[in-house]
Amino acid sequence: MPAELLVIVTRGELQENRHYGHIAVVDYNGKKVFSRGEPDYITYFRSAAKPIQAMEVITSGAYDRYKFSDKELSIMCASHYGEKIHRNAVKAILSKIGLNKNSLLCGKTTSLNSAYAIEMALQGYGPDVLFNDCSGKHAGFLAICKHKKYDFDDYIQLSHPLQQKISKRIAHMCEYEPENIIHGTDGCGVPVHGMPISRMALGYAKLAKPENLTAQESGSAKIITNAMATHPEMLSGTGGFCTALNAVTKGRLFGKIGAEAVYCVGNQSNGQGLAIKLEDGNLWRLPPIVIKTLKDLNWLADRELRKLSNFAKMSVKNKHDEVVGYTSAYLCNDSK
């Protein structure tokens, strides 16, 4: 199926941009319940895979050994803004495992949040691994390596035993044959996993309702989703969409963004998972279509929609801080 129009951006009276993509909703048994475009469209999971990757921290035994807090588990699932609370959480993880930021191989960056990046620059801060939005994930990876006595000088390589376990975990949760996963390299240096978005949605559905998992897997899924619900401020940061969605729904819905415009949501009320991909990769255009889809699926209550209204229709502003247009979703209500 071809991509469908999902998001429009207006400026004045014209539609200036039109963003096309794909949507898949799957229940925890693998049944497809809703789609737009091609539900089996293949792309990379990117950072939307982080909650599943973080399960390995639990199942490996590192969680029990180092007694990680919910806040620390949540930052392992995050694409954070590098705010002080985020940097402190990453440093706390590293301290518990006897390492420091020099062991992180995620690369030095500034904050994902451009306003905060400028604020930090004015205060004299330069690029740093702790500003990297993936530093929490990498700290979790190092915890596994330290616990399992893996070499951590090359933990980002696909051939490393850690990444082999991560790939198997993702394949298992998404019920996708490991040999069919298309591997690439993420912006932070670790392997990324290419598969149909319907399989990503299934992974989130099983996180939401882990009835078909082993007792150990089910327990780890519940610990991870509870951490995201308890500390949504860690998932992105001030004004961030992931933080807002998880906070407003109190963890009933847990959502996570991925680079190049991937977004996944799990619904703990009905055991379903949602995956969205915009083909042009503009992740800043995602929130309106996520909100509209959740509304059409009746996953959000009216009071929740009101609290998230600033993400449903996002203002386009010029350099005078004047509203000159809007980013909003384009999606019909009938399901396939």
Side-chain angles (χ1 to χ4, degrees):
M1 295 290 292
E4 294 194 17
L5 178 61
L6 299 182
V7 179
I8 57 174
V9 183
T10 62
R11 184 179 295 268
E13 297 181 1
L14 290 179
Q15 286 187 14
E16 189 170 39
N17 294 306
R18 294 157 68 89
H19 301 271
Y20 291 79
H22 312 273
I23 300 173
V25 180
V26 178
D27 71 16
Y28 69 102
N29 288 314
K31 179 182 177 182
K32 294 176 184 176
V33 296
F34 180 92
S35 68
R36 286 290 167 212
E38 176 51 69
D40 291 324
Y41 181 83
I42 295 176
T43 191
Y44 288 116
F45 216 159
R46 301 300 296 267
S47 284
K50 285 176 179 175
I52 295 175
Q53 292 172 313
M55 290 176 66
E56 201 65 32
V57 176
I58 315 296
T59 59
S60 69
Y63 169 71
D64 287 330
R65 176 178 177 180
Y66 298 113
K67 296 179 170 42
F68 293 125
S69 67
D70 284 342
K71 182 180 291 187
E72 291 159 355
L73 287 177
S74 189
I75 200 73
M76 293 176 192
C77 302
S79 295
H80 62 79
Y81 291 169
E83 296 170 355
K84 188 173 182 179
I85 57 169
H86 305 134
R87 301 195 305 273
N88 285 345
V90 175
K91 287 191 287 187
I93 295 167
L94 293 171
S95 177
K96 285 182 177 181
I97 65 176
L99 298 175
N100 59 44
K101 69 177 186 179
N102 294 327
S103 296
L104 295 170
L105 301 180
C106 50
K108 296 180 179 181
T109 64
T110 56
S111 173
L112 271 182
N113 184 320
S114 58
Y116 188 67
I118 292 171
E119 179 185 335
M120 290 293 95
L122 291 173
Q123 293 182 29
Y125 288 89
D128 194 288
V129 289
L130 295 178
F131 285 126
N132 190 304
D133 60 295
C134 295
S135 58
K137 174 183 71 176
H138 279 250
F141 285 172
L142 284 170
I144 298 169
C145 291
K146 198 71 183 296
H147 175 63
K148 302 292 283 187
K149 295 183 170 57
Y150 296 152
D151 182 9
F152 49 82
D153 291 334
D154 61 347
Y155 71 87
I156 62 175
Q157 300 300 320
L158 179 60
S159 58
H160 192 279
L162 166 70
Q163 297 303 336
Q164 290 295 302
K165 285 184 176 293
I166 293 292
S167 289
K168 289 178 181 177
R169 172 72 55 196
I170 291 173
H172 174 64
M173 286 293 291
C174 299
E175 297 184 16
Y176 198 62
E177 292 299 325
E179 60 270 22
N180 291 335
I181 291 178
I182 302 170
H183 289 101
T185 304
D186 210 337
C188 66
V190 299
V192 286
H193 308 84
M195 64 179 64
I197 62 170
S198 60
R199 300 297 90 189
M200 301 175 194
L202 176 57
Y204 268 68
K206 289 165 69 175
L207 274 174
K209 193 169 185 178
E211 289 187 359
N212 295 336
L213 303 180
T214 66
Q216 184 190 48
E217 292 169 334
S218 177
S220 67
K222 291 175 182 177
I223 290 170
I224 291 297
T225 55
N226 178 70
M228 295 172 71
T230 305
H231 289 284
E233 74 279 4
M234 309 307 290
L235 296 173
S236 53
T238 304
F241 180 55
C242 289
T243 288
L245 178 62
N246 287 268
V248 166
T249 63
K250 295 179 169 57
R252 187 187 78 259
L253 303 183
F254 54 94
K256 183 66 189 66
I257 202 167
E260 301 301 326
V262 173
Y263 205 92
C264 294
V265 182
N267 186 338
Q268 298 199 72
S269 295
N270 62 13
Q272 294 179 0
L274 160 69
I276 298 177
K277 166 68 179 178
L278 296 182
E279 283 197 345
D280 63 8
N282 192 329
L283 79 168
W284 304 112
R285 306 300 195 198
L286 277 169
I289 189 59
V290 175
I291 295 296
K292 184 65 163 61
T293 306
L294 297 177
K295 178 182 178 182
D296 290 343
L297 292 169
N298 294 314
W299 286 14
L300 287 171
D302 288 343
R303 59 179 175 76
E304 294 169 335
L305 284 166
R306 287 192 294 271
K307 290 181 178 179
L308 294 166
S309 60
N310 59 315
F311 293 104
K313 186 177 182 181
M314 302 171 66
S315 298
V316 175
K317 294 184 178 182
N318 64 14
K319 291 180 174 61
H320 300 283
D321 203 34
E322 300 167 334
V323 176
V324 296
Y326 296 95
T327 300
S328 55
Y330 182 91
L331 180 67
C332 55
N333 293 320
D334 62 311
S335 62
K336 297 178 184 177

